[in-house]
Amino acid sequence: MNIAIITGASSGIGMEFARQMDEGLRRIGEFWLIARRRDRLEELAEKLSHRARVLALDLTDGEDVNRFHRLLERERPLIRMLVNCSGYGVMGTFADLELEEEVGMIDLNCRALTEMTHLCIPYMRKKSRIIQIASSAAFLPQPGFAVYAASKAYVLSFSRALAGELSEAGILVTAVCPGPVRTPFFDRAERGGSTLAIKKYVMAEAEDVVRDALRASGRGRTVCVYGPAIRAFRLLCKAVPQGWILAVMRKLK
Ligand SMILES: NC(=O)c1ccc[n+]([C@@H]2O[C@H](COP(=O)([O-])OP(=O)(O)OC[C@H]3O[C@@H](n4cnc5c(N)ncnc54)[C@H](OP(=O)(O)O)[C@@H]3O)[C@@H](O)[C@H]2O)c1
């Protein structure tokens, strides 16, 4: 059975991936939708034209990840696509935020994404695709969003290396690095701090970000950055010493 797996499908960018992949990927037999909120996944599954399996899993819970592993071993599907979208960020000063929330970001954004990727690769073949949702936060350390930015730098670095390792097997890996996207992400992210005002001017819609990401993945691009402003930001981060950019950003706050 050909399947597509989407984590974080209960909301925002992950839900939008499910919608657009449902329209665009005809050869998928079943979607596996993963997140903690079963009711939201069931609601989504009903709307899809493909058959969809709801897997209400907390990817930071080892027992839930084991359940997923055992399911793969039992069903032995052919994974055509894995989209790792589950993730969260919390803004605020590192020393003031709850340690549990800080470590939780590393657990979900890095460890769970790595674990899911490792568990799924044995079930992939030539032309299977992996999409890892990183962020433009991966391009630069961010005071006030320190652990989140570091976790996304991990996702970008890991995905680029993995793309190199899997190229011989014909498995495509794309790291998606959007700037701010209008989703419920900010309900949690902004509880302890607030977004730089400038970010609000470059806020993108999930629909556009996902369309661009699917196109980039189809073309085998390793990194996908949506929109001219964020592409310019990436170039800036490559061209200018990070200390200088951080000094300017401190002034913009
Ligand atoms: N929005 C932005 O500005 C932006 C920008 C760049 C990158 N990103 C990245 O894009 C990804 C999706 O974010 P979003 O904007 O779509 O935010 P969102 O609407 O808050 O979605 C986050 C998703 O992660 C799932 N999730 C959270 N904790 C989980 C857990 N323990 N186990 C399994 N799933 C879990 C949530 O589902 P449940 O709560 O049901 O578990 C939800 O489906 C994240 O990796 C985020 O870092 C977002």
Side-chain angles (χ1 to χ4, degrees):
M1 177 183 36
N2 281 349
I3 68 161
I5 300 175
I6 303 165
T7 77
S10 65
S11 172
I13 298 174
M15 188 180 270
E16 186 57 32
F17 265 106
R19 286 199 194 108
Q20 291 193 24
M21 285 163 60
D22 183 51
E23 282 172 18
L25 299 182
R26 289 283 145 229
R27 285 162 56 203
I28 299 292
E30 194 169 88
F31 279 58
W32 288 14
L33 307 173
I34 299 177
R36 292 166 304 177
R37 286 171 291 175
R38 177 182 295 281
D39 53 336
R40 307 256 319 196
L41 295 176
E42 282 173 349
E43 217 173 284
L44 171 65
E46 271 177 30
K47 289 184 190 143
L48 300 183
S49 60
H50 285 80
R51 206 169 55 225
R53 191 182 296 216
V54 165
L55 301 173
L57 302 174
D58 179 344
L59 295 178
T60 62
D61 179 332
E63 190 39 50
D64 276 8
V65 175
N66 285 338
R67 272 175 53 208
F68 175 73
H69 189 189
R70 288 196 296 272
L71 180 67
L72 285 177
E73 287 180 329
R74 221 171 34 244
E75 305 251 336
R76 307 199 66 74
L78 172 51
I79 302 176
R80 285 288 177 201
M81 206 137 167
L82 166 66
V83 184
N84 272 312
C85 223
S86 284
Y88 77 90
V90 182
M91 294 171 193
T93 312
F94 174 72
D96 295 338
L97 288 171
E98 290 291 330
L99 181 59
E100 203 179 323
E101 275 204 308
E102 302 274 29
V103 175
M105 274 185 268
I106 301 171
D107 241 14
L108 184 63
N109 303 356
C110 304
R111 192 195 52 77
L113 174 140
T114 308
E115 220 160 16
M116 289 299 288
T117 306
H118 194 268
L119 292 177
C120 288
I121 287 173
Y123 300 93
M124 294 186 155
R125 298 289 174 271
K126 199 173 172 180
K127 291 193 180 158
S128 289
R129 296 197 251 159
I130 301 173
I131 296 183
Q132 313 281 37
I133 308 302
S135 164
S136 61
F139 304 150
L140 187 75
Q142 284 195 25
F145 214 8
V147 173
Y148 179 74
S151 76
K152 293 301 183 177
Y154 170 89
V155 175
L156 178 57
S157 168
F158 166 60
S159 305
R160 297 195 77 148
L162 192 65
E165 286 188 17
L166 295 179
S167 65
E168 214 168 298
I171 298 171
L172 304 171
V173 184
T174 304
V176 178
C177 302
V181 186
R182 204 179 318 278
T183 72
F185 175 86
F186 292 99
D187 298 347
R188 184 170 190 183
E190 292 195 318
R191 266 193 337 230
S194 65
T195 308
L196 280 177
I198 195 169
K199 281 190 183 171
K200 295 193 171 140
Y201 295 107
V202 292
M203 188 70 76
E205 301 304 324
E207 197 184 330
D208 300 325
V209 169
V210 168
R211 192 177 306 110
D212 193 48
L214 286 171
R215 199 182 303 129
S217 148
R219 290 178 182 165
R221 293 219 334 253
T222 307
V223 180
C224 171
V225 181
Y226 176 76
I230 305 302
R231 280 199 289 273
F233 174 61
R234 184 180 180 215
L235 286 179
L236 181 81
C237 294
K238 284 181 171 183
V240 178
Q242 293 190 340
W244 296 5
I245 307 174
L246 289 172
V248 172
M249 283 175 78
R250 256 197 307 276
K251 293 218 167 85
L252 285 176
K253 254 190 148 179

